[in-house]
């Protein structure tokens, strides 16, 4: 079967084999921290040092990890895909970005970080976003506004995910939707499969084991993403409809 318009959603599970902790596993990020202490606007207002430190630690970790076979397989598929290709990640790491750089150049590699990016910072007054690979100090002066400081460019709980209109339009037009390494615990990403199904898309879930949302997928491929995803992507074909 050939497909034309592909949307892929990834979560922390695709980066797990690179050594980036997931959120809800027994040794996950939320086990060491309360979400309301490090991942809400209220936490940042109450204790900016604790919030900056939480993200500085995760930013430092990024320098020690590399993309894995699942990231690379997605970038290679993008390089040869003839139709529409949108990769939406909930992850704030840069492993998809780096995998894309390592793969052949792809005309249509479209990547959206819907929950923001660890290696970017945002001005608290203007909202301007800039690259920021280093640590953020508690009252880091903003280069964008004299009264601004810099916060992590992360979508916190209670904030709106980024580029939702583009994502929803792509889901409504897709004929194949893949979900890789996400527990489906957080909306709005958890609802993407329903939009794709309503569009008539084939839906496939990749995870270590069935999730609470598995019943909403046509197919589930379970095991480590570095083992399940590459062979599945390798057999995908897209024939551009001319
Ligand atoms: N291969 C495939 N799947 C894996 C692997 C692996 N090697 N390791 C873990 N997983 C799966 C887990 O089984 C789980 O279903 O990845 C999923 C990770 O789930 P979460 O830890 O909940 O992470 P995620 O789904 O990305 O969380 C979504 O919640 O906390 C917020 O903003 C945060 O973006 C995050 C969002």
């Amino acid at each position: 079967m050939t497909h034309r318009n592909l949307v892929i959603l990834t979560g922390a599970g695709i980066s797990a084999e690179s050594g980036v902790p997931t959120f809800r596993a027994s040794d996950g990020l939320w086990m060491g921290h309360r979400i309301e202490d490090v991942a809400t606007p209220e936490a940042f207002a109450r204790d900016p040092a604790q919030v900056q430190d939480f993200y500085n630690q995760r930013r430092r970790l990024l320098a020690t990890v590399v993309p894995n076979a699942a990231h690379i397989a997605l970038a290679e598929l993008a390089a040869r895909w003839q139709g529409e290709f949108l990769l939406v990640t909930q992850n704030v790491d840069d492993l998809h970005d780096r995998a894309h750089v390592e793969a052949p150049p792809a005309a249509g590699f479209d990547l959206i970080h819907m929950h923001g990016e660890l290696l970017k910072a945002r001005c608290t007054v203007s909202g301007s976003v800039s690259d920021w690979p280093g640590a953020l100090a508690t009252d880091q002066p903003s280069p964008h506004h004299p009264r601004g400081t810099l916060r992590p460019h992360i979508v916190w709980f209670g904030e709106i995910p980024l580029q939702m209109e583009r994502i929803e339009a792509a889901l409504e037009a897709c004929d194949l939707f893949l979900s890789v390494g996400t527990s489906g615990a957080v909306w709005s990403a958890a609802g993407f499969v329903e939009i794709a199904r309503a569009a008539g898309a084939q839906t496939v879930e990749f995870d270590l084991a069935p999730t609470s949302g598995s019943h909403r997928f046509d197919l589930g491929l379970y095991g480590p993403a570095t083992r399940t995803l590459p062979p599945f992507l390798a057999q995908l074909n897209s024939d551009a409809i001319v």
Side-chain angles (χ1 to χ4, degrees):
M1 181 178 177
T2 59
H3 299 282
R4 174 166 171 70
N5 298 336
L6 180 51
V7 175
I8 303 122
L9 170 68
T10 64
I14 200 170
S15 296
E17 290 168 86
S18 293
V20 180
T22 63
F23 290 95
R24 292 171 181 83
S26 55
D27 59 348
L29 274 168
W30 295 143
M31 298 313 137
H33 299 274
R34 293 182 337 135
I35 286 173
E36 51 272 29
D37 289 342
V38 291
T40 64
E42 296 76 13
F44 188 61
R46 184 175 59 246
D47 188 350
Q50 181 179 12
V51 173
Q52 295 287 28
D53 182 55
F54 176 64
Y55 290 98
N56 287 342
Q57 286 178 47
R58 294 175 63 189
R59 208 171 282 115
R60 277 196 297 274
L61 172 70
L62 274 192
T64 69
V65 299
V66 295
N68 61 51
H71 297 106
I72 298 287
L74 280 171
E76 288 172 347
L77 180 70
R80 66 177 177 83
W81 194 254
Q82 299 295 312
E84 296 298 314
F85 183 106
L86 177 63
L87 173 54
V88 183
T89 187
Q90 298 172 93
N91 301 340
V92 294
D93 63 54
D94 65 334
L95 294 177
H96 283 306
D97 310 73
R98 283 194 257 161
H100 171 56
V101 168
E102 290 166 14
F109 182 82
D110 226 351
L111 169 60
I112 293 178
H113 283 273
M114 65 181 287
H115 289 166
E117 298 178 66
L118 266 179
L119 299 184
K120 288 191 167 75
R122 190 191 313 165
C123 175
T124 53
V125 173
S126 70
S128 300
V129 175
S130 40
D131 290 339
W132 199 272
L136 271 174
T138 301
D139 293 321
Q140 185 81 40
S142 165
H144 306 290
H145 193 284
R147 289 195 325 302
T149 58
L150 290 180
R151 58 164 275 185
H153 178 50
I154 299 291
V155 176
W156 285 326
F157 286 88
E159 296 182 324
I160 308 293
L162 305 175
Q163 303 199 51
M164 283 304 296
E165 285 184 15
R166 270 187 66 203
I167 296 169
E168 285 164 357
L171 288 165
E172 288 161 359
C174 77
D175 56 13
L176 180 60
F177 174 71
L178 311 181
S179 174
V180 186
T182 180
S183 60
V186 170
W187 291 78
S188 50
F192 288 0
V193 61
E194 296 301 346
I195 302 173
R197 287 174 64 88
Q202 185 186 7
T203 57
V204 187
E205 178 182 56
F206 297 81
D207 205 287
L208 286 180
T211 66
S212 58
S214 294
H215 61 285
R216 299 187 290 174
F217 288 85
D218 298 316
L219 175 66
L221 295 174
Y222 300 114
T226 57
R227 294 239 297 277
T228 59
L229 193 62
F232 180 85
L233 298 185
Q235 54 84 39
L236 280 184
N237 289 303
S238 65
D239 288 332
I241 300 170
V242 293

